[in-house]
Amino acid sequence: MPELVFFSGTMDCGKSTLALQIGHNRSARGLQGVIFTRDDRAGEGKLSSRLGLVTEAVEADEGMDVYAHLVDHVTRGGRADYVIVDEAQFLAPVQIDQLARIVDDLGLDVFAFGITTDFRTKLFPGSQRLIELADRVETLQVEALCWCGARATHNARTVGGEMVVEGAQVVVGDVNHQADEVGYEVLCRRHHQRRMTSATARAGALSPDVLPVTSG
């Protein structure tokens, strides 16, 4: 039976790499898929991995009917044996409904990949709808690590190394960025709640206020 599967995890846990691997494995068996993405770090119409892999994709702009796009693709003679959606957290809930319709009406597997919660630990609307509708929700087993070495469970937005907790839900950035740019970092829950990033932890370790004091 075809399924809508949601692969979820924090940043840096290999979601896009797995999406590319699934596409590669199926193409090696002669299957052809349609890949959708939204706001990928490599630019419009790209699905990329931090390992350096990249492939072409359809940019699922706000307002796009992904079901109608796929029907039009097939009607024009295109082939679609499965669908991959990366950065699925950025899709609108109605677009997630359209993915479910692709499974139910067209009989195709849909593999969606995305982050569950934003930098404020709030559910992305697209991810929430996927959790509500998906046949399966798979948490990726490749663990991203906090700077302290613990399992990273939360995504933090940073500006100049400082964690911020206000602002628009969607601001495109990456874990690799210039010090004064908007970026992201994965943290364990303890350090996310303390707003302690790798940069602020390093600065604290170098501060004379926290150096041990000896007498004599």
Side-chain angles (χ1 to χ4, degrees):
M1 292 290 293
E3 290 185 308
L4 172 58
V5 186
F6 180 33
F7 295 92
S8 69
T10 62
M11 296 182 70
D12 237 5
C13 73
K15 296 182 301 300
S16 297
T17 301
L18 179 58
L20 289 163
Q21 184 68 55
I22 286 176
H24 170 77
N25 289 352
R26 279 161 175 71
S27 65
R29 297 295 179 267
L31 301 176
Q32 295 182 23
V34 174
I35 300 174
F36 293 97
T37 190
R38 177 86 174 269
D39 293 334
D40 188 273
R41 68 185 72 85
E44 184 174 339
K46 304 288 184 183
L47 191 168
S48 67
S49 163
R50 292 191 179 86
L51 298 182
L53 304 172
V54 62
T55 192
E56 298 297 321
V58 177
E59 187 74 13
D61 294 323
E62 184 177 354
M64 172 189 278
D65 185 327
V66 292
Y67 176 85
H69 179 93
L70 194 66
V71 169
D72 183 66
H73 170 76
V74 174
T75 301
R76 293 173 180 270
R79 183 176 167 185
D81 298 309
Y82 61 92
V83 173
I84 289 174
V85 185
D86 199 28
E87 306 293 358
Q89 73 274 5
F90 295 146
L91 269 61
V94 67
Q95 291 175 311
I96 304 303
D97 289 350
Q98 292 158 10
L99 295 180
R101 189 180 177 193
I102 289 171
V103 175
D104 296 337
D105 292 1
L106 303 182
L108 302 180
D109 284 316
V110 175
F111 306 102
F113 299 80
I115 298 167
T116 307
T117 58
D118 65 15
F119 69 104
R120 301 165 300 182
T121 71
K122 304 298 184 182
L123 283 168
F124 281 101
S127 298
Q128 178 177 336
R129 193 59 177 150
L130 274 165
I131 292 169
E132 293 166 348
L133 290 184
D135 297 291
R136 285 189 291 127
V137 178
E138 300 282 352
T139 301
L140 296 194
Q141 298 304 308
V142 177
E143 293 186 352
L145 299 179
C146 178
W147 60 264
C148 68
R151 178 173 177 264
T153 54
H154 292 68
N155 305 294
R157 181 181 294 169
T158 62
V159 177
E162 298 280 345
M163 180 174 158
V164 295
V165 294
E166 296 181 351
Q169 186 175 52
V170 178
V171 176
V172 178
D174 200 358
V175 294
N176 300 312
H177 57 88
Q178 298 297 319
D180 58 346
E181 294 178 339
V182 173
Y184 290 90
E185 183 174 346
V186 289
L187 300 172
C188 63
R189 183 180 63 240
R190 179 164 62 108
H191 286 128
H192 190 279
Q193 290 183 336
R194 295 179 180 180
R195 303 186 188 181
M196 187 176 290
T197 66
S198 58
T200 56
R202 185 164 55 249
L206 295 175
S207 170
D209 294 335
V210 298
L211 291 177
V213 178
T214 58
S215 60

